[in-house]
Amino acid sequence: MSLFKPDYYISSFQAMDIDRLKRAGIRLLLCDIDNTLMAYNEAVPNAKVVAFIDRIKAHGIEVALYSNASKKRAFRFARDLHVSQVYYLSLKPLPFKFWKVIKAHGYTKKEVAILGDQLFTDMLGGHLAGIYTILTAPISKIDRSSTKFTRKFENLVFKHLEKSGFRKGEFDG
Ligand SMILES: [Mg+2]
């Protein structure tokens, strides 16, 4: 079950302690879009997201979007953001695209992190790829229909993780 346990657990992207990332040696942050940076029923980022990405970059950490969303949705979201790349249809939790991206950016696995809201895509994918994993509570309770299904299983995994002292809603820092 440790494949699902995040290295860092936060209530929202705004709560992220960038110094913690820097201490972990992170140089590239890959961000999921849906329910991580915006609600599923939104299409464009709000001012908080723009400020968040600029804040990370000001600390010398590169930011790219890494989403299972379609090209159209990912690029529409990215239009006003200062990210270096937009990776869409990423096929999380499969690790292959992660490895391709890490290589393309010239970093090592240890220098890359994934920020996302789902255990079965973002955390599992990050662990399989061998990178640093950051779980955020989902922005909205509304999920796309395919996600509604996996959330049921996700709650079972959360229950299981409690055995190792990890509790849903008990955030780090
Ligand atoms: Mg998501």
Side-chain angles (χ1 to χ4, degrees):
M1 283 300 170
S2 61
L3 277 174
F4 296 102
K5 195 176 173 180
D7 296 303
Y8 182 22
Y9 184 29
I10 52 179
S11 56
S12 76
F13 62 83
Q14 288 172 283
M16 186 187 282
D17 175 7
I18 299 177
D19 283 331
R20 184 165 170 152
L21 263 60
K22 286 164 83 176
R23 284 197 301 274
I26 302 305
R27 296 175 67 195
L28 170 64
L29 177 66
L30 300 173
C31 292
D32 172 52
I33 298 176
D34 285 318
N35 257 339
T36 293
L37 295 182
M38 70 169 178
Y40 178 59
N41 52 5
E42 295 173 310
V44 291
N46 60 35
K48 290 174 196 165
V49 179
V50 177
F52 166 69
I53 286 175
D54 287 344
R55 185 164 68 95
I56 296 171
K57 289 176 62 186
H59 281 80
I61 297 174
E62 192 180 347
V63 184
L65 299 178
Y66 193 86
S67 170
N68 280 356
S70 68
K71 181 178 183 178
K72 191 179 167 198
R73 182 164 167 78
F75 273 90
R76 182 161 182 223
F77 177 75
R79 204 165 46 196
D80 296 322
L81 296 178
H82 307 121
V83 292
S84 58
Q85 284 292 340
V86 180
Y87 299 106
Y88 55 92
L89 297 175
S90 64
L91 300 177
K92 288 174 286 187
L94 295 178
F96 311 110
K97 194 158 181 171
F98 277 115
W99 293 333
K100 213 170 153 184
V101 166
I102 293 164
K103 200 173 171 191
H105 286 255
Y107 298 121
T108 64
K109 290 175 189 173
K110 299 275 168 243
E111 293 172 317
V112 179
I114 175 77
L115 165 67
D117 69 301
Q118 285 196 59
L119 298 183
F120 286 112
T121 53
D122 307 304
M123 298 305 104
L124 179 59
H127 281 301
L128 291 175
I131 64 176
Y132 189 85
T133 51
I134 308 162
L135 179 67
T136 176
I139 287 182
S140 159
K141 283 193 162 49
I142 304 165
D143 282 309
R144 68 174 74 211
S145 52
S146 60
T147 305
K148 271 180 199 155
F149 183 73
T150 55
R151 289 282 184 207
K152 288 199 169 79
F153 290 97
E154 203 177 70
N155 282 328
L156 292 176
V157 177
F158 271 119
K159 278 259 178 293
H160 223 85
L161 288 174
E162 285 184 6
K163 288 176 187 163
S164 63
F166 179 88
R167 278 177 205 286
K168 188 177 182 180
E170 280 185 11
F171 305 109
D172 295 323

